[in-house]
Amino acid sequence: MREKGEEMENIEDIASYIVSDGKGILAADESNPTCTKRFDSIGVESTEDKRREYREMLFRSEGMKGNIGGVILFDETIRQDAEDGTSLVEVIRNQGAVPGIKVDKGLEVINDQEETVTKGLEGLNERCSEYYSLGARFTKWRAVIKIGNTIPSKECINRNMEALAEYALIAQANGMVPIVEPEVLMDGDHSIDQCYEASSRSLDALFSMLTSKGVNIKGTILKPNMITSGSNVTSKANIDEVASMTLKCLKSHVPDELPGVAFLSGGQSDLDATAHLNAMNKKGGFKWALCFSYGRALQQPALKVWLGDNKNSSLAQAALSHRALMNRLASQGRWEQGLES
Ligand code: 13P
């Protein structure tokens, strides 16, 4: 399926491939505690084997082909084999997607406002080298920025963006594309303008750091939040406002040479995540591929149908395949509400 085959070793080619032709990324890199939370919601015990079964089911979905260019894995998953003994990495490759890996080590609180920096630079070079040997060709590091009356602080933004740039350099030195994810959280009752301002400051600092440290932008993918109202706001910004504000913010900070912007869904409903992406691609006026790197917005319908029972696998795979296709169409500005029924 993969046009360029497995010999694709140049990070610029890998980055371009992952986001080519409307393809996006399936984020399946939930840590074990997060995966347990998702399984709790369907009353399924989160064991190592059950997590393998669930992810194998996702990765074997027919709709991975042509719609998903990369899959982000967690450390446990990159080492697992499918039921028939094929490695999950191979299952992903056979679907025409590039295997990737989350390499950060989670969050550390830095002040009494509960702001955090992302840990994981220590030993990162060694971890990257091992992940490469296990088949990973791209990586992800997530920084978290919260909005409040007096935050995000300068310190929080600067420390996180500096760590993202250092991580990106190390990933690239190991032959892997870094996904840089500065996530401004939706949680809270902030306005869309506050989200714009915090995201703007973060992206501004991120691209100055990436450039000053000599990260190859052509071999990098940005995974940002969309510019939205806070999740607790009752009268939320509409689809057109979200699309316009997000594009305005990205166009002010993201260099044209970046191959792809792949949004996180961040707690948006699956339909909102698709509709917002579609609205932006319909507007156009940018050089990068504008696509998706969704976790919940791709997996949630499949998880709800699967319910931990193999008898439901085909239906769950159909649900994931549908969302993958809808989001590819949205990445090309070709989605319509009517296609959902
Ligand atoms: P969501 O799309 O569920 O926000 O997950 C994407 C992700 O990988 C967050 O780091």
Side-chain angles (χ1 to χ4, degrees), residues 27 29 140 142 181 223 264-266 293-296:
D29 59 321
K140 180 191 108 171
R142 172 175 177 255
E181 179 178 6
K223 176 164 174 162
L264 58 95
S265 59
S293 174
Y294 295 158
R296 285 162 286 180

Side-chain angles (χ1 to χ4, degrees), residues 115 143-147 152 156-157 160-161 182-185 198 202:
E115 289 192 293
V144 174
I145 308 294
K146 285 186 209 158
I147 299 178
C156 173
I157 289 182
N160 273 299
M161 302 310 137
E183 176 173 5
V184 176
L185 292 182
S202 303

Side-chain angles (χ1 to χ4, degrees), residues 183-195:
E183 176 173 5
V184 176
L185 292 182
M186 257 174 85
D187 309 5
D189 54 9
H190 52 265
S191 65
I192 189 168
D193 293 319
Q194 283 173 288
C195 178

Side-chain angles (χ1 to χ4, degrees), residues 25-30 38 72 102 104 140-144 181 183 223 263-268 273 293-300:
I25 298 167
L26 168 62
D29 59 321
E30 299 84 5
R38 307 272 189 266
I72 319 176
K102 184 222 301 284
D104 68 65
K140 180 191 108 171
W141 178 289
R142 172 175 177 255
V144 174
E181 179 178 6
E183 176 173 5
K223 176 164 174 162
F263 291 106
L264 58 95
S265 59
Q268 296 180 41
S293 174
Y294 295 158
R296 285 162 286 180
L298 276 172
Q299 293 183 44
Q300 204 60 23

